[in-house]
Amino acid sequence: MVDEQNGSSFLILPDDNFSIDTMVEFKSPVLNNQFASLKNLDNFKEQISGCRTFVFVREIMPLVNANLIKGGDLDNAIVIYDSPLAQEELDKIADTMGVPHKNVSELGYINNSPLLFDNEPARHKLLDVLGDIALIGRPLKGHVIAIRPGHTINTTFAKKIRRELKRQDIQAPVYNPNVAPIMDVNRIRQLLPHRYPFLLVDKIIEVGDTHIVGLKNISGNEPFFQGHFPQEPVMPGVLQVEAMAQVGGLLVLNMVDEPERYSTYFMKIDNVKFRQKVVPGDTLIFHVSLMTEIRRGCATLKGYAFVGDKIVSEAEFMAQIIKNK
């Protein structure tokens, strides 16, 4: 990933372990090019964790005026003096920051304590990279190479990784029409009370301990297409969720003895998303799984609807299992 505007780039190469190489570059005679590396997370505490953020003297007043860096001082931040200023201007900055006046006669670092490492700024940038990619939410194996990193490119890259992981976690079920279904429409009618035009599951092709896969063929003769919409038939999203819930109901009923004696009812629907249209000729494949164990007759489920390998809708919902009177 490359940011053409500022020349930043972010790359992860396959590796059996996790490591980071970070390179920084500034147009500064004091902080020009620096490199930092972390080959093993066991070294994080002693080599990276204490490395301080840094700021250029010329940036201090704009940051103060923006009501930022309130907690910054010469102990917890590195101040880089790389462009000559008048002593009066330096004194004004010192007064604003509430630190003693510094008589700076040559360019360099202004700090109460010395640098922890010669490349402490680069190590702090590595620390930023490590914190930002932690937003992925999972351990990462790979060799990270970050050139001129910043929070924007770091977090953008982390979001892309999260999206890719989600895509891999939620892959479309494989449907082979030549394989006999686990439940055909006749068995589904025995378990669900729905009938035309509201039975929205044609067959069940897979049932696991905590998940189920069902199918609905979308015909141009569906009654809802008469009004939704006559000139551009689109399956209503609410019916996609209803079909998804019917599939989920079959999963729950499959877990009880004598399922014909029970019914399932909607209690709650959350986090519904519709991603693309469903039209006549599509085959909807639903993957529904339990989010938690069934407790007190209530099941919380997560469902996805696919057309081909693309997610068209998703939802979380709660259903209650009730014995028929």
Side-chain angles (χ1 to χ4, degrees):
M1 178 177 177
V2 177
D3 186 331
E4 300 290 352
Q5 280 192 325
N6 57 28
S8 300
S9 66
F10 211 105
L11 174 69
I12 297 184
L13 300 175
D15 201 331
D16 291 334
N17 300 300
F18 175 72
S19 60
I20 304 178
D21 288 335
T22 302
M23 287 156 273
V24 300
E25 177 187 4
F26 293 90
K27 294 179 180 179
S28 167
V30 175
L31 178 57
N32 190 358
N33 298 329
Q34 282 192 0
F35 172 84
S37 180
L38 179 66
K39 298 301 183 185
N40 193 315
L41 284 175
D42 293 339
N43 301 324
F44 170 76
K45 183 176 180 180
E46 61 182 30
Q47 294 185 6
I48 303 297
S49 64
C51 293
R52 296 162 291 180
T53 188
F54 58 92
V55 64
F56 293 92
V57 169
R58 61 179 179 271
E59 297 173 332
I60 290 177
M61 291 310 297
L63 289 170
V64 170
N65 293 334
N67 205 28
L68 300 173
I69 65 170
K70 286 185 174 183
D73 57 38
L74 295 182
D75 292 313
N76 60 24
I78 301 168
V79 178
I80 302 170
Y81 177 57
D82 66 344
S83 180
L85 295 174
Q87 185 64 49
E88 293 80 6
E89 190 170 352
L90 284 175
D91 292 344
K92 179 181 178 182
I93 293 174
D95 293 338
T96 301
M97 297 296 294
V99 299
H101 289 186
K102 294 286 184 179
N103 183 13
V104 180
S105 58
E106 60 182 30
L107 304 182
Y109 296 100
I110 308 174
N111 285 95
N112 290 334
S113 56
L115 294 180
L116 298 176
F117 304 94
D118 290 340
N119 65 340
E120 186 173 352
R123 292 182 187 230
H124 179 78
K125 283 292 187 180
L126 189 151
L127 177 62
D128 285 344
V129 171
L130 190 60
D132 290 335
I133 63 175
L135 297 173
I136 294 172
R138 297 188 185 183
L140 182 67
K141 282 189 176 182
H143 180 54
V144 178
I145 301 174
I147 300 175
R148 302 186 70 179
H151 289 298
T152 298
I153 192 170
N154 298 350
T155 55
T156 300
F157 194 87
K159 289 175 183 177
K160 286 190 173 184
I161 294 292
R162 279 179 62 91
R163 284 196 295 268
E164 178 61 20
L165 288 172
K166 184 176 181 181
R167 186 192 69 80
Q168 293 178 9
D169 286 346
I170 313 160
Q171 295 189 21
V174 176
Y175 169 49
N176 183 351
N178 294 316
V179 177
I182 305 296
M183 300 181 195
D184 62 11
V185 70
N186 294 316
R187 176 56 177 163
I188 291 170
R189 286 192 182 123
Q190 292 174 357
L191 297 176
L192 295 181
H194 308 75
R195 294 296 181 266
Y196 177 86
F198 225 69
L199 180 59
L200 299 174
V201 187
D202 291 334
K203 56 184 172 180
I204 298 298
I205 60 175
E206 182 180 326
V207 179
D209 291 338
T210 60
H211 79 280
I212 190 169
V213 177
L215 184 144
K216 165 69 177 170
N217 292 303
I218 309 302
S219 166
N221 293 320
E222 304 285 356
F224 46 78
F225 285 141
Q226 295 180 33
H228 198 279
F229 305 101
Q231 303 303 318
E232 184 187 2
V234 176
M235 183 179 186
V238 291
L239 293 184
Q240 295 176 43
V241 176
E242 170 62 30
M244 192 183 298
Q246 290 180 18
V247 173
L250 291 167
L251 171 63
V252 173
L253 292 172
N254 190 63
M255 296 179 172
V256 300
D257 296 329
E258 299 182 291
E260 296 86 353
R261 300 181 63 183
Y262 292 85
S263 295
T264 57
Y265 297 90
F266 262 141
M267 294 179 67
K268 183 173 69 169
I269 308 173
D270 290 316
N271 299 322
V272 180
K273 296 178 182 178
F274 301 109
R275 301 188 180 278
Q276 70 175 45
K277 295 187 294 186
V278 177
V279 298
D282 285 342
T283 297
L284 269 176
I285 301 178
F286 299 97
H287 183 285
V288 182
S289 58
L290 287 175
M291 297 178 66
T292 60
E293 294 182 358
I294 298 176
R295 298 187 182 94
R296 298 180 181 178
C298 293
T300 303
L301 304 108
K302 174 73 177 185
Y304 295 94
F306 297 85
V307 171
D309 61 354
K310 295 182 179 178
I311 298 174
V312 295
S313 59
E314 61 182 272
E316 298 172 5
F317 48 95
M318 179 180 289
Q320 186 176 24
I321 312 161
I322 296 179
K323 196 169 187 177
N324 298 328
K325 295 181 180 179

